[in-house]
Structure formats: structure tokens, C-alpha cells
Amino acid sequence: MSAQIKAFFHETTSTFTYVVHDGINPECAIIDPVLDFDYKSGRTSTQSADSVIQWIKDQALCLSWIMETHAHADHISSAKYIQNQIGGKIVIGEHITLVQGVFKKVFNYGDEFIADGHHFDHLIAENESFKIGELEVNVLHTPGHTPACITYDIAGKLFVGDTLFMPDVGTARCDFPGGDAQTLYDSIHHLLSYPDNTELYMCHDYPPQGREICHVCTVAEQKESNIHVGKGASKADFVEMRSTRDATLEMPNLILPSIQINIRAGELPDAENNGVSYLKLPLNQF
Ligand SMILES: [Fe+2]
């Protein structure tokens, strides 16, 4: 059975959110949903998430799973908001506990923040499988961009998160805490060991001028023309390129708010005694 895939593009953060179902049964999954956020005012909004919810309702689907590929640093997850609206279990890779542990220190959280992944409904291990209707989902651990990145293999189509970008964009940075270029190279080659016609679904696209945004390509296209790992690029060359390039990159605009909310599965930090939820801004830490 073939996966039916609907892609939504969040322009502000260049993120793709997917809804996946089997075309017969009502169950569906959302992958990497986005919460709108205006940094200047500190205001969240749900326009993008609501449009995904509306599409699901219009198709008479019911949401079983809300799947995160990793703790994103460039957009805030709307997983918890969507769950509150239409249900679904929020899942992420089991190594999210490492990421929570690192950022618990960065944000100096106290005992109230337990870095055991309990914020999510289920932590998925490598090779664990589950179903969306009749579609079999297998989980691959694909660390490197972060230590907890996973790829979802849904009936043979791979949702790669930030493990790969479109061939003319290349690969994601590896300089966040716990990131590692050698590890990313190995993860990418794991994905490229799939059959040439395997479809890879991106979490982002940052197209060069003149190209339309695109969310899918094949293993063959990546092997042939990925500017960072294509044409048999060696691990040493990749690590050299990544380290040099990462040293020039600014932090993503939304890394500080995103991480604080995304390691809580998209839930805002507990409100203080005035009913307001606050984010922290660690100075001179990045
Ligand atoms: Fe990312």
C-alpha cells in the first residue's frame, strides 16, 4: 500500500509539514507541525497549524500520530496545540533525552524539568515500528545534525528531517550541541544505501534563486548531485567542508525560543503566578 502524502510549506521558517495516510483508512499522521511565532511581540499563533487541522477534517481523517523528526532549532512545534485540538500521540526519537539534558543546563532549569522525555507520549527506538492505518512505519536513527534525529520510513518513503536537504542545498549544520559531522555523514550514507528510486521527503527547502521550492527527491538524485555528499564525496572532505561552513553560520533566528518549547513537545513553559509563560534568554552562551 502506498502512502498518500500532503505537504504544507511554512514560508516564514521554510519548513515542510506533512500529513500521511493510507488512502483507505481514516488514520493519519502529521510530521513536524509548526507553531507561528512573532519574535518581536513574543506572540504565538496557530494559523498554520489550523490550516493543517482543517485539511485533516475536510478529508474526514482522524489523527493518530504527531511525529517529530528532531528537536527543531528553527521553528516552534505545534504538536501540543494540535494534540489539544484533535488528539494524536506525540512521538520523537528516544535520544531526545540527551538533547533535553544539554539544554536543561543551557537554560539552567531546576528539578521541575526532568530530562527523561516524559513530555512526549512515546519515545521511539531505532528499528521500532508502528502503523498509520495499513502503512508500516519504521524508524531509523540518523544522528549528526542533532544526536536525536530520526528518519521515518513510511512504507518505503523516507521522511528525513534535517539529515539531508535538496541536492542543490546540501546538508544541515552539525554545530549545535551534540551535533557531529562524521556522524551525519554516516547517517546520510545509511539513507543513500536505500534503492535509487526511494523518495526522500525534506523538512526544509532553501532554494537557490530561480528554483521553485521542492520537498521531495530520490536517493539517485542525491547520490548524483548533492553538493555536499554527492558523487562519492569522502567523509574527510565532508567533515572539512561542514566544519568550515558551520563556523561561518549565524544562529538560527528562532533557536532560543524554539528549543525551550520543542524539548517540551511544543508545550509552553509553565505559567508563572501571574498566568504568563516566559522564555529565557541565556546571554553569551552561543
Ligand atoms: Fe533542525
Side-chain angles (χ1 to χ4, degrees):
M1 186 168 288
S2 176
Q4 308 294 303
I5 298 162
K6 169 73 176 175
F8 297 82
F9 187 61
H10 188 256
E11 283 199 19
T12 323
T13 64
S14 302
T15 304
F16 292 108
T17 296
Y18 297 99
V19 178
V20 184
H21 61 108
D22 68 10
I24 295 173
N25 294 288
E27 289 82 21
C28 71
I30 296 179
I31 302 173
D32 290 332
V34 180
L35 190 69
D36 300 303
F37 182 62
D38 179 53
Y39 212 143
K40 295 188 287 298
S41 61
R43 185 166 289 279
T44 63
S45 61
T46 60
Q47 196 181 346
S48 300
D50 288 335
S51 67
V52 178
I53 291 171
Q54 190 57 50
W55 187 87
I56 287 172
K57 288 181 175 170
D58 290 346
Q59 305 298 310
L61 297 171
C62 70
L63 185 62
S64 301
W65 304 100
I66 304 168
M67 296 151 61
E68 298 283 4
T69 53
H70 63 294
H72 308 275
D74 47 42
H75 68 267
I76 298 174
S77 167
S78 58
K80 192 60 84 173
Y81 169 74
I82 289 175
Q83 181 178 59
N84 289 338
Q85 299 300 306
I86 57 171
K89 283 194 171 133
I90 303 173
V91 297
I92 198 165
E94 61 178 345
H95 299 291
I96 187 65
T97 54
L98 296 174
V99 177
Q100 288 180 322
V102 166
F103 285 103
K104 177 175 178 167
K105 289 202 185 89
V106 169
F107 292 107
N108 195 33
Y109 295 146
D111 294 341
E112 78 286 354
F113 186 90
I114 302 169
D116 64 356
H118 71 276
H119 309 78
F120 299 84
D121 296 306
H122 184 60
L123 302 187
I124 316 176
E126 177 154 46
N127 297 323
E128 195 175 332
S129 61
F130 59 97
K131 285 197 156 190
I132 306 167
E134 290 299 311
L135 301 171
E136 177 101 358
V137 185
N138 286 297
V139 174
L140 317 173
H141 185 212
T142 47
H145 170 60
T146 81
C149 289
I150 56 175
T151 291
Y152 295 101
D153 171 349
I154 304 182
K157 298 182 193 296
L158 304 184
F159 293 78
V160 303
D162 290 3
T163 306
L164 275 167
F165 293 147
M166 290 300 288
D168 55 2
V169 183
T171 58
R173 64 197 300 167
C174 297
D175 60 336
F176 296 152
D180 183 77
Q182 299 198 36
T183 308
L184 181 61
Y185 184 90
D186 293 340
S187 293
I188 288 169
H189 278 268
H190 185 184
L191 299 183
L192 298 184
S193 71
Y194 276 67
D196 274 353
N197 63 354
T198 304
E199 290 176 353
L200 308 174
Y201 289 80
M202 309 291 115
C203 182
H204 298 287
D205 192 24
Y206 312 97
Q209 215 176 5
R211 171 166 75 68
E212 294 284 299
I213 58 158
C214 189
H215 63 272
V216 60
C217 65
T218 64
V219 163
E221 288 164 343
Q222 292 285 4
K223 285 201 290 200
E224 171 56 30
S225 57
N226 186 290
I227 58 171
H228 296 162
V229 294
K231 296 190 170 64
S234 73
K235 187 190 273 195
D237 285 349
F238 176 74
V239 170
E240 168 72 20
M241 177 284 300
R242 216 38 287 165
S243 314
T244 308
R245 186 172 158 79
D246 288 353
T248 69
L249 300 176
E250 291 185 346
M251 281 293 118
N253 288 338
L254 296 183
I255 184 169
L256 295 170
S258 296
I259 290 289
Q260 292 177 75
I261 296 170
N262 294 346
I263 60 173
R264 295 175 162 94
E267 187 141 50
L268 305 184
D270 286 344
E272 298 193 4
N273 58 8
N274 60 356
V276 178
S277 178
Y278 290 83
L279 295 171
K280 285 185 163 186
L281 188 63
L283 299 179
N284 305 316
Q285 293 299 297
F286 283 95

Short mmCIF file of all heavy atoms in Angstrom, two decimals, residues 8-50:
data_model
loop_
_atom_site.label_atom_id
_atom_site.label_comp_id
_atom_site.label_asym_id
_atom_site.label_seq_id
_atom_site.Cartn_x
_atom_site.Cartn_y
_atom_site.Cartn_z
N PHE A 8 2.66 20.69 3.41
CA PHE A 8 2.33 22.09 3.70
C PHE A 8 3.67 22.83 3.88
O PHE A 8 4.56 22.32 4.57
CB PHE A 8 1.54 22.21 5.01
CG PHE A 8 0.21 21.54 4.98
CD1 PHE A 8 0.10 20.17 5.19
CD2 PHE A 8 -0.95 22.26 4.74
CE1 PHE A 8 -1.14 19.53 5.16
CE2 PHE A 8 -2.20 21.65 4.71
CZ PHE A 8 -2.29 20.27 4.93
N PHE A 9 3.79 24.01 3.29
CA PHE A 9 5.05 24.75 3.41
C PHE A 9 4.83 25.97 4.30
O PHE A 9 3.92 26.78 4.06
CB PHE A 9 5.55 25.20 2.03
CG PHE A 9 6.92 25.82 2.07
CD1 PHE A 9 8.02 25.09 2.51
CD2 PHE A 9 7.11 27.13 1.65
CE1 PHE A 9 9.30 25.67 2.54
CE2 PHE A 9 8.39 27.71 1.66
CZ PHE A 9 9.48 26.97 2.12
N HIS A 10 5.65 26.10 5.33
CA HIS A 10 5.59 27.26 6.23
C HIS A 10 6.66 28.24 5.77
O HIS A 10 7.85 28.03 5.99
CB HIS A 10 5.86 26.80 7.67
CG HIS A 10 5.64 27.86 8.69
ND1 HIS A 10 6.68 28.53 9.32
CD2 HIS A 10 4.49 28.38 9.20
CE1 HIS A 10 6.17 29.41 10.16
NE2 HIS A 10 4.86 29.34 10.12
N GLU A 11 6.20 29.31 5.10
CA GLU A 11 7.16 30.18 4.41
C GLU A 11 8.13 30.87 5.36
O GLU A 11 9.32 31.00 5.07
CB GLU A 11 6.42 31.25 3.61
CG GLU A 11 5.84 30.69 2.33
CD GLU A 11 5.51 31.79 1.33
OE1 GLU A 11 6.04 32.91 1.47
OE2 GLU A 11 4.70 31.52 0.44
N THR A 12 7.63 31.30 6.51
CA THR A 12 8.49 32.08 7.41
C THR A 12 9.70 31.30 7.87
O THR A 12 10.77 31.86 8.06
CB THR A 12 7.67 32.50 8.66
OG1 THR A 12 6.34 32.78 8.26
CG2 THR A 12 8.29 33.69 9.35
N THR A 13 9.53 29.99 8.05
CA THR A 13 10.65 29.17 8.54
C THR A 13 11.11 28.15 7.49
O THR A 13 11.97 27.31 7.80
CB THR A 13 10.26 28.43 9.83
OG1 THR A 13 9.19 27.51 9.53
CG2 THR A 13 9.83 29.38 10.92
N SER A 14 10.56 28.21 6.30
CA SER A 14 10.94 27.29 5.20
C SER A 14 10.79 25.82 5.59
O SER A 14 11.60 24.98 5.22
CB SER A 14 12.39 27.55 4.75
OG SER A 14 12.55 28.87 4.32
N THR A 15 9.76 25.54 6.38
CA THR A 15 9.56 24.17 6.90
C THR A 15 8.41 23.46 6.19
O THR A 15 7.37 24.05 5.95
CB THR A 15 9.22 24.24 8.41
OG1 THR A 15 10.25 24.94 9.08
CG2 THR A 15 9.04 22.85 9.00
N PHE A 16 8.62 22.18 5.89
CA PHE A 16 7.53 21.35 5.38
C PHE A 16 6.92 20.54 6.52
O PHE A 16 7.63 19.90 7.29
CB PHE A 16 8.04 20.36 4.32
CG PHE A 16 8.47 21.03 3.06
CD1 PHE A 16 9.82 21.10 2.73
CD2 PHE A 16 7.54 21.61 2.20
CE1 PHE A 16 10.23 21.72 1.55
CE2 PHE A 16 7.94 22.23 1.03
CZ PHE A 16 9.29 22.29 0.71
N THR A 17 5.60 20.61 6.58
CA THR A 17 4.83 19.73 7.46
C THR A 17 4.10 18.76 6.55
O THR A 17 3.62 19.16 5.48
CB THR A 17 3.81 20.56 8.27
OG1 THR A 17 4.51 21.45 9.13
CG2 THR A 17 2.87 19.66 9.07
N TYR A 18 4.04 17.51 6.95
CA TYR A 18 3.36 16.50 6.12
C TYR A 18 2.20 15.88 6.86
O TYR A 18 2.27 15.68 8.09
CB TYR A 18 4.34 15.38 5.74
CG TYR A 18 5.50 15.85 4.90
CD1 TYR A 18 6.74 16.11 5.49
CD2 TYR A 18 5.36 16.06 3.54
CE1 TYR A 18 7.82 16.55 4.73
CE2 TYR A 18 6.43 16.50 2.76
CZ TYR A 18 7.66 16.74 3.37
OH TYR A 18 8.71 17.19 2.61
N VAL A 19 1.16 15.57 6.11
CA VAL A 19 0.11 14.67 6.61
C VAL A 19 0.19 13.40 5.75
O VAL A 19 0.25 13.49 4.51
CB VAL A 19 -1.29 15.29 6.52
CG1 VAL A 19 -2.34 14.29 7.00
CG2 VAL A 19 -1.35 16.57 7.35
N VAL A 20 0.23 12.26 6.41
CA VAL A 20 0.39 10.99 5.71
C VAL A 20 -0.75 10.04 6.11
O VAL A 20 -1.08 9.94 7.30
CB VAL A 20 1.75 10.33 6.08
CG1 VAL A 20 1.96 9.05 5.28
CG2 VAL A 20 2.90 11.30 5.83
N HIS A 21 -1.31 9.37 5.12
CA HIS A 21 -2.35 8.37 5.39
C HIS A 21 -2.31 7.31 4.30
O HIS A 21 -1.56 7.45 3.33
CB HIS A 21 -3.73 9.03 5.50
CG HIS A 21 -4.18 9.74 4.26
ND1 HIS A 21 -5.18 9.28 3.45
CD2 HIS A 21 -3.74 10.89 3.68
CE1 HIS A 21 -5.35 10.10 2.43
NE2 HIS A 21 -4.50 11.10 2.54
N ASP A 22 -3.12 6.26 4.47
CA ASP A 22 -3.00 5.16 3.50
C ASP A 22 -4.02 5.23 2.37
O ASP A 22 -4.02 4.36 1.49
CB ASP A 22 -3.05 3.80 4.22
CG ASP A 22 -4.42 3.48 4.82
OD1 ASP A 22 -5.40 4.21 4.54
OD2 ASP A 22 -4.51 2.50 5.58
N GLY A 23 -4.89 6.25 2.40
CA GLY A 23 -5.85 6.42 1.31
C GLY A 23 -7.10 5.59 1.46
O GLY A 23 -8.03 5.72 0.65
N ILE A 24 -7.15 4.74 2.47
CA ILE A 24 -8.32 3.87 2.66
C ILE A 24 -8.89 4.03 4.07
O ILE A 24 -10.07 4.29 4.26
CB ILE A 24 -7.94 2.39 2.42
CG1 ILE A 24 -7.55 2.21 0.94
CG2 ILE A 24 -9.10 1.46 2.81
CD1 ILE A 24 -7.00 0.83 0.63
N ASN A 25 -8.00 3.92 5.05
CA ASN A 25 -8.43 4.03 6.44
C ASN A 25 -8.37 5.49 6.90
O ASN A 25 -7.62 6.29 6.35
CB ASN A 25 -7.52 3.17 7.32
CG ASN A 25 -7.69 1.69 7.01
OD1 ASN A 25 -8.70 1.10 7.34
ND2 ASN A 25 -6.71 1.12 6.32
N PRO A 26 -9.12 5.83 7.95
CA PRO A 26 -9.16 7.24 8.37
C PRO A 26 -7.91 7.71 9.13
O PRO A 26 -7.67 8.91 9.22
CB PRO A 26 -10.39 7.32 9.28
CG PRO A 26 -10.63 5.91 9.73
CD PRO A 26 -10.13 5.02 8.64
N GLU A 27 -7.11 6.77 9.63
CA GLU A 27 -5.97 7.20 10.45
C GLU A 27 -4.97 7.99 9.62
O GLU A 27 -4.68 7.66 8.47
CB GLU A 27 -5.23 5.99 11.05
CG GLU A 27 -5.98 5.26 12.13
CD GLU A 27 -6.99 4.28 11.55
OE1 GLU A 27 -6.83 3.89 10.37
OE2 GLU A 27 -7.95 3.93 12.25
N CYS A 28 -4.41 9.04 10.25
CA CYS A 28 -3.34 9.79 9.58
C CYS A 28 -2.31 10.22 10.62
O CYS A 28 -2.52 10.08 11.82
CB CYS A 28 -3.89 11.00 8.83
SG CYS A 28 -4.46 12.35 9.88
N ALA A 29 -1.19 10.71 10.11
CA ALA A 29 -0.12 11.24 10.96
C ALA A 29 0.30 12.60 10.44
O ALA A 29 0.23 12.86 9.23
CB ALA A 29 1.08 10.29 10.93
N ILE A 30 0.71 13.45 11.35
CA ILE A 30 1.34 14.73 10.98
C ILE A 30 2.81 14.62 11.32
O ILE A 30 3.18 14.15 12.40
CB ILE A 30 0.73 15.91 11.76
CG1 ILE A 30 -0.74 16.11 11.43
CG2 ILE A 30 1.51 17.20 11.47
CD1 ILE A 30 -1.40 17.25 12.20
N ILE A 31 3.66 15.09 10.41
CA ILE A 31 5.10 15.12 10.67
C ILE A 31 5.55 16.58 10.73
O ILE A 31 5.28 17.36 9.81
CB ILE A 31 5.87 14.37 9.57
CG1 ILE A 31 5.38 12.92 9.48
CG2 ILE A 31 7.38 14.41 9.83
CD1 ILE A 31 5.95 12.14 8.32
N ASP A 32 6.21 16.94 11.81
CA ASP A 32 6.86 18.25 12.00
C ASP A 32 5.93 19.45 11.80
O ASP A 32 6.16 20.30 10.92
CB ASP A 32 8.09 18.36 11.09
CG ASP A 32 9.23 17.44 11.53
OD1 ASP A 32 9.32 17.13 12.74
OD2 ASP A 32 10.04 17.04 10.67
N PRO A 33 4.89 19.55 12.63
CA PRO A 33 3.98 20.71 12.53
C PRO A 33 4.59 21.97 13.16
O PRO A 33 5.39 21.90 14.09
CB PRO A 33 2.76 20.26 13.33
CG PRO A 33 3.30 19.34 14.36
CD PRO A 33 4.47 18.62 13.71
N VAL A 34 4.19 23.12 12.64
CA VAL A 34 4.80 24.41 13.03
C VAL A 34 3.79 25.28 13.78
O VAL A 34 2.62 25.35 13.40
CB VAL A 34 5.28 25.17 11.77
CG1 VAL A 34 5.92 26.50 12.14
CG2 VAL A 34 6.26 24.30 10.97
N LEU A 35 4.28 25.95 14.82
CA LEU A 35 3.51 26.98 15.51
C LEU A 35 4.03 28.33 15.03
O LEU A 35 5.25 28.57 15.02
CB LEU A 35 3.71 26.85 17.03
CG LEU A 35 2.81 27.69 17.93
CD1 LEU A 35 1.36 27.19 17.88
CD2 LEU A 35 3.31 27.67 19.37
N ASP A 36 3.12 29.22 14.63
CA ASP A 36 3.56 30.56 14.20
C ASP A 36 4.03 31.34 15.42
O ASP A 36 3.46 31.23 16.51
CB ASP A 36 2.40 31.29 13.52
CG ASP A 36 1.90 30.54 12.30
OD1 ASP A 36 2.72 30.30 11.40
OD2 ASP A 36 0.71 30.18 12.28
N PHE A 37 5.07 32.15 15.21
CA PHE A 37 5.63 32.91 16.33
C PHE A 37 6.16 34.24 15.83
O PHE A 37 6.94 34.28 14.86
CB PHE A 37 6.78 32.11 16.97
CG PHE A 37 7.39 32.78 18.16
CD1 PHE A 37 6.64 33.05 19.29
CD2 PHE A 37 8.73 33.16 18.15
CE1 PHE A 37 7.21 33.67 20.41
CE2 PHE A 37 9.30 33.78 19.25
CZ PHE A 37 8.54 34.03 20.39
N ASP A 38 5.72 35.31 16.46
CA ASP A 38 6.23 36.64 16.15
C ASP A 38 7.21 37.04 17.25
O ASP A 38 6.82 37.31 18.38
CB ASP A 38 5.08 37.65 16.06
CG ASP A 38 5.61 39.03 15.77
OD1 ASP A 38 6.37 39.18 14.79
OD2 ASP A 38 5.32 39.95 16.54
N TYR A 39 8.49 37.01 16.90
CA TYR A 39 9.53 37.24 17.91
C TYR A 39 9.39 38.62 18.55
O TYR A 39 9.57 38.81 19.75
CB TYR A 39 10.92 37.10 17.25
CG TYR A 39 11.99 36.55 18.17
CD1 TYR A 39 12.95 35.70 17.66
CD2 TYR A 39 12.04 36.88 19.52
CE1 TYR A 39 13.95 35.17 18.48
CE2 TYR A 39 13.03 36.36 20.34
CZ TYR A 39 13.97 35.51 19.81
OH TYR A 39 14.95 34.98 20.62
N LYS A 40 9.04 39.62 17.72
CA LYS A 40 9.03 41.00 18.22
C LYS A 40 8.03 41.17 19.35
O LYS A 40 8.29 41.87 20.31
CB LYS A 40 8.72 41.96 17.07
CG LYS A 40 9.82 41.97 16.00
CD LYS A 40 9.60 43.06 14.97
CE LYS A 40 8.47 42.75 14.02
NZ LYS A 40 8.69 41.53 13.21
N SER A 41 6.88 40.51 19.22
CA SER A 41 5.86 40.67 20.25
C SER A 41 5.84 39.50 21.23
O SER A 41 5.15 39.57 22.26
CB SER A 41 4.48 40.80 19.59
OG SER A 41 4.20 39.62 18.86
N GLY A 42 6.56 38.44 20.94
CA GLY A 42 6.51 37.25 21.79
C GLY A 42 5.17 36.54 21.69
O GLY A 42 4.78 35.80 22.60
N ARG A 43 4.48 36.73 20.56
CA ARG A 43 3.13 36.15 20.45
C ARG A 43 3.13 34.91 19.55
O ARG A 43 3.65 34.96 18.45
CB ARG A 43 2.17 37.21 19.90
CG ARG A 43 0.72 36.77 19.84
CD ARG A 43 -0.21 37.95 19.65
NE ARG A 43 -0.30 38.79 20.83
CZ ARG A 43 -1.06 38.54 21.90
NH1 ARG A 43 -1.84 37.47 21.91
NH2 ARG A 43 -1.08 39.35 22.93
N THR A 44 2.54 33.84 20.05
CA THR A 44 2.36 32.65 19.22
C THR A 44 0.99 32.73 18.55
O THR A 44 0.07 33.39 19.06
CB THR A 44 2.41 31.35 20.06
OG1 THR A 44 1.33 31.35 20.98
CG2 THR A 44 3.73 31.23 20.81
N SER A 45 0.86 32.07 17.41
CA SER A 45 -0.46 31.96 16.79
C SER A 45 -0.54 30.63 16.04
O SER A 45 0.47 29.95 15.84
CB SER A 45 -0.75 33.15 15.87
OG SER A 45 0.20 33.20 14.85
N THR A 46 -1.72 30.29 15.63
CA THR A 46 -1.96 28.92 15.18
C THR A 46 -2.52 28.83 13.76
O THR A 46 -3.05 27.79 13.38
CB THR A 46 -2.93 28.21 16.16
OG1 THR A 46 -4.16 28.94 16.18
CG2 THR A 46 -2.37 28.15 17.55
N GLN A 47 -2.34 29.89 13.00
CA GLN A 47 -2.91 29.91 11.64
C GLN A 47 -2.42 28.71 10.82
O GLN A 47 -3.21 28.04 10.17
CB GLN A 47 -2.49 31.21 10.97
CG GLN A 47 -3.28 31.55 9.75
CD GLN A 47 -2.80 32.85 9.13
OE1 GLN A 47 -2.05 33.61 9.73
NE2 GLN A 47 -3.21 33.08 7.91
N SER A 48 -1.11 28.46 10.86
CA SER A 48 -0.56 27.37 10.04
C SER A 48 -1.05 26.02 10.55
O SER A 48 -1.45 25.15 9.76
CB SER A 48 0.97 27.42 10.07
OG SER A 48 1.42 28.64 9.57
N ALA A 49 -0.99 25.83 11.85
CA ALA A 49 -1.47 24.56 12.43
C ALA A 49 -2.95 24.38 12.13
O ALA A 49 -3.39 23.26 11.80
CB ALA A 49 -1.21 24.54 13.93
N ASP A 50 -3.71 25.46 12.23
CA ASP A 50 -5.16 25.35 11.98
C ASP A 50 -5.45 24.94 10.54
O ASP A 50 -6.43 24.23 10.27
CB ASP A 50 -5.85 26.67 12.31
CG ASP A 50 -5.92 26.92 13.81
OD1 ASP A 50 -5.87 25.94 14.58
OD2 ASP A 50 -5.99 28.10 14.21
#
